[in-house]
Amino acid sequence: EMVMTQSPVTLSVSPGERATLSCRTSQSVSGNLAWYQQKPGQAPRLLIYGASTRAAGIPARFSGSGSGTDFTLTISSLQSEDFAVYYCLQYHSWPRTFGQGTKLDIK
Amino acid sequence: VQLVQSGAEVKKPGASVKVSCMTSGYTFTNYFIYWVRQAPGQGLEYMGIINPSGGGTSYAQKFQGRVTMTRDMSTTTVYMELSSLRHEDTAVFYCARDSDSGSWLGYWGQGTLVTVSS
């Protein structure tokens, strides 16, 4: 089973600043990685798929990069609504696996 | 595309729970449905998938023997039944569907809270 490691577990950033979240996989997933945002009491929301393609309606301040085993989600200028938990998902192999999440909170 | 799940449940340890996911807005047989568990304050955990076309299933090893996923073609509804419930099964259960153009989870149900309490 693919092991996903997200870092950091918690990231404290001030509004307007840049946030960089990491996801590492135990084996190569090529570009088959997605990022999700989840707020309390809500279902996850797709942000990025194919490692770097923004989903429909996702603001340009969200960007993804990476391939193989190392991936990054960057939020260029944090807005108040961006403080949430972020998960990566690999869909390269079965079973599908999620990272354990990074909580982005206000500094 | 809509995935609408059944309401919250409270179950006793040892019981079973069956959660439904009613789908609409697309051809039911064209896309897998996934089930994902999220314990309170915890992350997302893949449970398995069902192929509505033939009913074939694949379950995560952790849930093998306790989970059963089925579908009803007449109502385009998918079900997830979890048996032998324990306190640690208290969680929100989500159904989700592949995206239109790839295998990432593009559509999610609203979630169903299952509370296991004696």
Side-chain angles (χ1 to χ4, degrees):
Chain A
E1 177 175 312
M2 190 83 64
V3 176
M4 313 282 287
T5 304
Q6 288 189 243
S7 61
V9 173
T10 304
L11 181 61
S12 298
V13 183
S14 300
E17 292 189 339
R18 180 189 196 94
T20 302
L21 290 67
S22 172
C23 176
R24 182 164 291 178
T25 62
S26 58
Q27 301 167 49
S28 175
V29 299
S30 187
N32 297 312
L33 188 111
W35 289 94
Y36 296 84
Q37 176 194 70
Q38 189 180 34
K39 297 180 180 179
Q42 296 183 16
R45 173 195 182 198
L46 176 67
L47 299 175
I48 300 284
Y49 61 90
S52 60
T53 303
R54 274 190 306 278
I58 301 303
R61 63 181 182 273
F62 290 90
S63 64
S65 64
S67 67
T69 61
D70 287 291
F71 300 87
T72 300
L73 174 69
T74 302
I75 311 170
S76 59
S77 177
L78 280 161
Q79 308 296 303
S80 57
E81 61 268 28
D82 299 335
F83 292 96
V85 181
Y86 292 83
Y87 295 95
C88 55
L89 164 73
Q90 67 82 16
Y91 52 94
H92 181 75
S93 63
W94 300 97
R96 304 300 196 227
T97 43
F98 293 91
Q100 82 279 17
T102 290
K103 182 178 181 182
L104 183 56
D105 64 19
I106 301 175
K107 188 173 182 180
Chain B
V1 175
Q2 283 200 306
L3 305 175
V4 179
Q5 298 183 226
S6 49
E9 303 256 17
V10 179
K11 296 291 183 181
K12 292 194 181 303
S16 297
V17 67
K18 193 170 187 177
V19 179
S20 67
C21 174
M22 185 169 63
T23 73
S24 62
Y26 70 97
T27 302
F28 181 60
T29 52
N30 282 2
Y31 299 91
F32 292 173
I33 293 290
Y34 300 69
W35 288 91
V36 175
R37 183 173 81 169
Q38 187 170 39
Q42 302 301 308
L44 303 169
E45 184 175 32
Y46 168 85
M47 297 180 69
I49 60 161
I50 181 167
N51 179 354
S53 178
T57 56
S58 175
Y59 305 136
Q61 190 169 8
K62 179 174 183 176
F63 298 98
Q64 287 273 2
R66 279 210 305 145
V67 70
T68 304
M69 298 176 189
T70 56
R71 92 288 194 219
D72 183 334
M73 303 280 283
S74 66
T75 60
T76 64
T77 299
V78 172
Y79 299 90
M80 186 282 299
E81 183 170 20
L82 189 62
S83 62
S84 303
L85 289 169
R86 358 193 217 253
H87 293 289
E88 53 267 35
D89 289 317
T90 293
V92 175
F93 293 82
Y94 293 101
C95 61
R97 205 211 78 177
D98 283 345
S99 170
D100 293 324
S101 50
S103 299
W104 52 93
L105 303 185
Y107 302 94
W108 293 71
Q110 81 277 19
T112 296
L113 174 63
V114 175
T115 303
V116 183
S117 173
S118 47

